[in-house]
């Protein structure tokens, strides 16, 4: 599992503060209009698109394959498949998902807290509803209207205040201030009311997509019940007019009859899919510390998922020697599971055995049905770290194959630069280093290495032109 810092979306939890920012100017309005959420909690609102911030992104072949299998049928039902919608995993313990552009962001906490695949698929279906309904574009219009409302109200209030002051009427001046403040409150409530309506629309569209794919909406109701219980235990008093999402009990009331009317309502996830889901939950819990693996699987402590999480936890705690027999026992049970070999490769890398790691990762890539670019880059890295010159052509081949499918993954270029360096090709090593800095956002260092590469490359060649592109990049 890999965490990569990328410039994406920053979450904001205070609706009144967020909307008041939206009133302050066009620039902020554009930043806020980019995303719609499933649910963060009863007082949540829009994630703000932050230019200067980033959130940690999870890259993992196993979890990405699972989420793809969850997402593709829903996207087909929503007629979104041809739009190249991308699903991105965010390293956050909160139960949340949101959309921005053509991307669906899913917090890792949503995966861990979803006890069944159906619960998480319901979340994905809701986000697909936002995309299919064009809610982002209409939300931008609503933000613009709300901002206009607030500005006009403020101008009227200011005019009344000035007139009252000129006439020596303190009551009129105070009333002008009240008009100005009230206009902002009215604009905020209007915007939040609109967003609550869109959330209910996305919920209903989600049920349509679940029905079309032969899946139950029971998972959605389970999720809302969980949030409703959490609110009850919290005891927080909530002004329903100052929140961006309908209250969980309201969502259940609006959806329950529709969900139960479906012929698929009592359909359950297959045992194989449930196991894959649990394996993903175990992996995330082990790597991120989002709850104890033993606690999550306390009802089946010797199950495959629990033992998988235990093997990863043992390895992460620094005991590769003890982790190896645990993962080997799992491989014996499922000899064609590519992700067990992938973890075995990671364990051997930590044990300073890159040759053994390369062998395990080669097996993983050969078994991987999705042909994950992340896994191929891991295999190429292991070959590179053997330090054997004979392995460098294969290392370069695997790294380039992975990069071809993930051209914006900085670490891949870093490994490729090392492989070229060990092969003695300094020009291409410098060019790969330039690409690494370029996709990491460090354009100045990217230009420095691109200039160095150009001095050794044939003028006009594809690699020379790539270096020139980096040099010519404007901020």
């Amino acid at each position: 599992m890999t965490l990569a810092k990328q410039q994406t979306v920053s979450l904001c939890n205070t609706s009144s503060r967020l909307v008041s920012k939206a009133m302050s100017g066009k620039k902020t309005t554009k930043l806020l209009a980019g995303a719609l959420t499933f649910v963060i909690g009863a007082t949540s609102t829009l994630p703000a698109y932050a230019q200067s911030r980033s959130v940690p992104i999870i890259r993992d072949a196993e979890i990405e394959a699972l989420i793809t299998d969850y997402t593709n049928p829903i996207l087909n039902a929503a007629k979104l498949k041809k739009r190249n919608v991308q699903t991105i995993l965010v390293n956050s313990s909160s139960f949340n998902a949101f959309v921005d552009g053509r991307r669906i962001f899913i917090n890792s906490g949503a995966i861990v807290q979803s006890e069944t695949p159906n619960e998480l698929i319901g979340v994905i279906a809701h986000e697909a509803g936002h995309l299919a309904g064009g809610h982002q574009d209409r939300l931008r219009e609503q933000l613009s209207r709300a901002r206009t409302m607030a500005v006009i109200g403020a101008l009227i209030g200011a005019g009344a205040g000035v007139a009252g002051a000129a006439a020596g009427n303190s009551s009129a001046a105070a009333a002008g201030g009240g008009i100005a403040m009230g206009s902002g409150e009215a604009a905020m409530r209007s915007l939040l009311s609109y967003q609550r309506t869109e959330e209910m629309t996305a919920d209903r569209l989600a049920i349509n997509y679940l029905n079309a794919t032969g899946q139950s909406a029971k998972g959605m109701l389970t999720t809302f019940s969980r949030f409703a219980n959490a609110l009850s235990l919290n005891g927080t008093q909530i002004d329903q007019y100052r929140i961006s999402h309908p209250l969980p009990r309201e969502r259940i009331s609006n959806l329950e009859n529709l969900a139960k009317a479906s012929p698929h309502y009592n359909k359950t996830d297959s045992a194989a899919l449930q196991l894959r889901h649990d394996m993903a939950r175990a992996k995330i819990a082990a790597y991120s510390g989002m709850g104890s693996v033993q606690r999550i699987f306390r009802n089946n402590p010797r199950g495959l998922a629990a033992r998988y999480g235990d093997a990863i936890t043992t390895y992460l705690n620094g005991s590769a020697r003890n982790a190896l027999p645990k993962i080997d026992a799992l491989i014996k049970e499922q000899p064609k599971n590519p992700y067990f070999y992938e973890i075995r490769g990671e364990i051997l890398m930590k044990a300073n055995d890159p040759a053994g790691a390369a062998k395990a990762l080669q097996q993983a890539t050969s078994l991987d049905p999705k042909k994950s670019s992340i896994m191929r880059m891991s295999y190429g890295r292991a070959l590179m770290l053997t330090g054997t010159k004979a392995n460098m052509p294969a290392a370069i081949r695997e790294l380039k194959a992975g990069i071809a499918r993930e051209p914006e993954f900085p670490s891949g270029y870093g490994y490729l630069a090392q492989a070229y360096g060990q092969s003695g090709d300094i020009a291409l090593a410098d060019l790969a280093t330039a690409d690494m800095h370029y996709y990491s956002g460090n354009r100045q260092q990217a230009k420095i290495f691109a200039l160095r590469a150009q001095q050794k490359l044939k003028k006009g060649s594809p690699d020379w032109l790539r270096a020139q592109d980096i040099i010519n990049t404007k901020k």
Side-chain angles (χ1 to χ4, degrees), residues 142-197:
Q142 290 295 322
L143 281 166
S144 179
R145 288 178 190 170
R147 177 176 170 272
T148 301
M149 254 175 84
V151 169
I152 291 173
L155 290 172
I156 293 172
V162 170
N169 187 336
S170 60
S171 297
I179 292 170
M181 288 187 290
S183 62
E185 175 71 12
M188 181 188 74
R189 287 182 177 243
S190 173
L191 178 62
L192 292 174
S193 175
Y194 169 78
Q195 193 186 349
R196 288 193 297 272
T197 300

Side-chain angles (χ1 to χ4, degrees), residues 236-299:
T236 304
Q237 294 297 314
I238 296 166
D239 181 350
Q240 62 179 326
Y241 298 107
R242 294 178 65 88
I243 57 176
S244 60
H245 289 66
L247 291 171
R249 287 295 176 197
E250 182 184 354
R251 296 175 91 168
I252 293 171
S253 175
N254 286 322
L255 295 178
E256 195 166 21
N257 289 337
L258 281 175
K260 290 183 175 179
S262 169
H264 311 294
Y265 181 71
N266 289 314
K267 186 175 181 179
T268 58
D269 301 301
S270 69
L273 191 62
Q274 181 67 56
L275 178 59
R276 289 180 64 196
H277 186 78
D278 286 339
M279 301 285 262
R281 295 173 70 209
K283 180 180 275 189
I284 293 170
Y287 273 100
S288 66
M290 291 181 192
S292 163
V293 173
Q294 289 80 7
R295 180 182 60 78
I296 293 172
F297 299 105
R298 58 186 175 276
N299 293 329

Side-chain angles (χ1 to χ4, degrees), residues 39-81:
V39 61
I40 308 171
T43 57
S44 68
T45 185
L46 303 176
Y49 199 82
Q51 291 175 319
S52 60
R53 290 165 140 195
S54 61
V55 293
I57 303 301
I58 291 176
R59 299 305 313 275
D60 180 82
E62 181 176 15
I63 300 170
E64 288 177 0
L66 178 67
I67 297 300
T68 296
D69 288 344
Y70 287 168
T71 304
N72 281 346
I74 296 295
L75 295 180
N76 282 328
K79 296 182 170 47
L80 291 168
K81 186 63 177 171

